[in-house]
Every structure is written in structure tokens, then in C-alpha cells.
Amino acid sequence: MSFAEDLDYGLFNEYLNGFMVSKAMFTACELGVFDLLESEGFLTFNVIAERLGTNSHGMEQLLDICVTLKLLKVEMKKGKALYQNTELATLYLTKSGPKSQYNMLLYMSKTTYSCWNHLTEAIREGKNQYMRTFGIPSDDLFEAIYRSEEELVKFMHGLHEIWSINGRDVITAFDLSPFPLIYDLGGDFFRDAIPEADLYILARILHDWADKKCIQLLTNIHQACKPGCGVLVVETLLAEDKRGPLTSQLYSMNMLVQTEGKERTPTEYQELFTQAGFQDFQFKKTGKIYDAILARK
Ligand code: ASE
């Protein structure tokens, strides 16, 4: 095998197996491994298996995968392996960590992962896969996304968890001092009247919808506010040629599988704003997942 072939085979295998990494992390989290180790660190695989009601061989494998993934640490004592959380696990994977991503992980595992099982059909048909995945009609996206109390809570808490980590960067990207009254738009913004404010925040709203509905919403905002008012959009921006960053590309595909929208380039957002009557348009890449776009009337 040539050197190049060898490299390519390594890359190919990384992609081939990538889903197993996600699934191992989801499972350890769902079984309660990180929460147990947070309250009682330094446990053997046998004790962990017993406490969580699992098979001990399966648990040992899962724990050692977590060690390799840097989600757990292991310490040998009297020939026995004692497991404990790494900083990463304590921060993001425990239910009550200060920066817990527990609900978002659950949402990705239960809802997003299931929908991605039908990625082929999503691409064939160009529409989300709620019907195939959960037997839910998707003509009303709100009803599909918020299909049960449990699902709503998981999704809302999950979005809040992402916000708790990424919020500061997008909210400080622009000087918002000219806008004393700020309104964070959410809920059923297509049917409800838009209240008057100086600045409207649309965080992860526009990416759920096709252009037509985005323009409708932005037009409603434009009509509700005075000249000088602004709209701050919080979304992940695609490169102008749409060939990166990978996270934005994958999130855009996720919008195809789960919503009626897509992620957009700065120029695409500018076009939406122009159509709705807004003039001044700026955007800032934060270097993190979410970027900031500011337009003014
Ligand atoms: C949405 C946000 C999400 C709609 C569906 C979603 C998330 C997962 N599924 O508005 C959270 C953030 N992840 C992405 C892909 O944006």
C-alpha cells in the first residue's frame, strides 16, 4: 500500500466509525455513568455495573472506551481499575454541572440521531423526516418539534444549555448600547403580534424556516419597529461558497432532516433582510459555533 493510500484508509475508517463515538458517549451519559461518578468517584466497573443495573462486561467496555475518549480517567489501586470523571465529563456530561449539556445530548441522541437514520430519504425528498421517524405529520413544524411535554422540555433546556456556553460571544459581538429595549423573539412568532422594541434577537429561529417565512417574519418586525431599530440574528454562518465550516454544513443538513430551513451564508442573510426592508447589514464571525448578524431599519 502506498503512503497516500495508507493515509486515506485511516481517514476513511475514521468516518466509517465516527457514529460509534457519538453513540458510546450518548449511552454512557444515558445510563448515568457520569452522574454516578460525580457523586461517588473512584469506582470499579463491577460496582458501576451493579449500581446502574447493567451487564458488567458491557459496562467495562463502555468505560474503557470513555477513557480513550478522555471522558473518564482510570487509576490502578491494588490491581483494580478505579474510574472517575475527567474535567470535560464533569463540566458537560453530568446532569447538574454548571455548563451541563445533558439535555442537548439527550435530544441529539433520541431525536436528531433517529431522524438522521433517514438522511437518504431526506435528501431524495428534500424534506424533514418526522413522519418516517416518529409517525408525526410535519405540516406544522411547531407541532412536530414540540410533539410532547417531555420533548419540548428536552429541546428548550437543550437550547438553553448551548446558549449558556455560546451566548456571551454573540451578545458581545456588537455594541448593543443604542438599543435600550431588547426583545428575544421565540414561541409562535408567526401568529402573535410583534411587540415594539429597539432590538429583536432571533436566536436559532431563521435556520428553521424557508426563505419565504423568514422574509415574512422579518417584514413583520420591520413594520413593528421605528427607524433605527435593529435585529440581531444568532446562527452558524456558512462560508460564501458553502463548503465549510464542517459544523455549519452538518447543521445545515440537520435542518433539512429536522426542520423546514437551512443554515445560510452572510450574503443569503443579507438578501432576506433586504427583501424585508432593512438597510444596514453587518455580520461577525465569533470563531465558535454561533455567529452574529446585525441589521437596522
Ligand atoms: C433547531 C435547533 C436544533 C432545530 C433542530 C435542532 C438543534 C438540534 N436540532 O432550531 C440544536 C443545535 N443544533 C443545530 C444542528 O443547530
Side-chain angles (χ1 to χ4, degrees):
M1 219 191 307
S2 75
F3 181 60
E5 227 178 298
D6 213 34
L7 276 182
D8 286 348
Y9 189 68
L11 189 60
F12 162 72
N13 263 297
E14 211 176 291
Y15 299 160
L16 189 69
N17 304 331
F19 76 97
M20 296 183 191
V21 173
S22 302
K23 203 66 188 170
M25 181 172 77
F26 294 165
T27 301
C29 198
E30 283 164 20
L31 284 170
V33 168
F34 306 110
D35 286 320
L36 176 63
L37 287 172
E38 199 57 27
S39 59
E40 312 169 37
F42 297 103
L43 303 177
T44 63
F45 75 85
N46 274 318
V47 171
I48 297 171
E50 196 189 309
R51 294 290 299 279
L52 300 177
T54 76
N55 173 269
S56 62
H57 170 63
M59 181 54 77
E60 186 182 22
Q61 291 196 49
L62 182 62
L63 294 172
D64 285 330
I65 289 169
C66 288
V67 172
T68 305
L69 295 177
K70 300 191 171 80
L71 308 179
L72 293 179
K73 291 182 282 191
V74 71
E75 225 170 80
M76 296 304 292
K77 211 160 198 178
K78 294 178 187 159
K80 280 188 175 174
L82 300 175
Y83 295 89
Q84 68 180 123
N85 286 339
T86 58
E87 187 101 340
L88 186 160
T90 299
L91 271 177
Y92 303 122
L93 297 172
T94 58
K95 260 185 213 146
S96 55
K99 295 181 173 176
S100 174
Q101 301 292 301
Y102 184 85
N103 287 280
M104 188 33 75
L105 181 143
L106 234 57
Y107 188 76
M108 291 294 272
S109 171
K110 299 295 180 203
T111 302
T112 305
Y113 187 93
S114 307
C115 288
W116 276 67
N117 231 355
H118 298 289
L119 181 59
T120 314
E121 292 99 323
I123 291 171
R124 278 211 184 100
E125 299 162 359
K127 61 175 209 178
N128 69 54
Q129 293 297 310
Y130 285 106
M131 193 62 195
R132 267 200 192 83
T133 313
F134 303 109
I136 311 163
S138 53
D139 41 296
D140 186 331
L141 185 63
F142 286 111
E143 271 178 33
I145 287 190
Y146 307 126
R147 60 192 168 281
S148 70
E149 177 76 15
E150 188 198 349
E151 193 67 18
L152 183 149
V153 166
K154 210 191 304 168
F155 186 60
M156 285 296 168
H157 283 169
L159 289 180
H160 183 76
E161 287 165 353
I162 299 180
W163 185 253
S164 74
I165 292 178
N166 298 281
R168 180 178 300 273
D169 289 298
V170 288
I171 234 62
T172 54
F174 294 104
D175 175 19
L176 301 182
S177 61
F179 308 107
L181 184 60
I182 298 177
Y183 195 90
D184 183 14
L185 264 169
D188 200 348
F189 33 77
F190 289 118
R191 265 165 274 187
D192 298 346
I194 308 283
E196 202 185 316
D198 303 308
L199 182 76
Y200 300 86
I201 299 178
L202 289 176
R204 295 167 305 197
I205 301 283
L206 297 182
H207 75 165
D208 288 341
W209 305 100
D211 290 355
K212 206 176 143 204
K213 280 200 174 159
C214 292
I215 293 166
Q216 183 198 325
L217 177 59
L218 292 175
T219 303
N220 289 347
I221 295 173
H222 190 266
Q223 284 166 0
C225 73
K226 295 197 179 83
C229 80
V231 178
L232 180 71
V233 168
V234 177
E235 298 286 4
T236 185
L237 284 171
L238 277 170
E240 286 297 346
D241 67 6
K242 301 190 186 176
R243 302 209 182 88
L246 179 62
T247 305
S248 309
Q249 292 177 288
L250 293 174
Y251 280 18
S252 194
M253 182 137 281
N254 191 46
M255 293 304 110
L256 175 68
V257 169
Q258 274 203 265
T259 70
E260 296 175 13
K262 59 180 183 177
E263 306 300 347
R264 295 178 171 88
T265 67
T267 301
E268 287 177 321
Y269 279 112
Q270 180 160 26
E271 184 59 26
L272 296 178
F273 274 113
T274 305
Q275 296 252 344
F278 287 88
Q279 309 201 328
D280 195 32
F281 177 91
Q282 300 165 265
F283 68 92
K284 282 216 174 113
K285 300 273 289 174
T286 64
K288 305 251 178 80
I289 297 182
Y290 290 102
D291 305 300
I293 301 147
L294 182 65
R296 298 185 76 166
K297 178 170 174 174

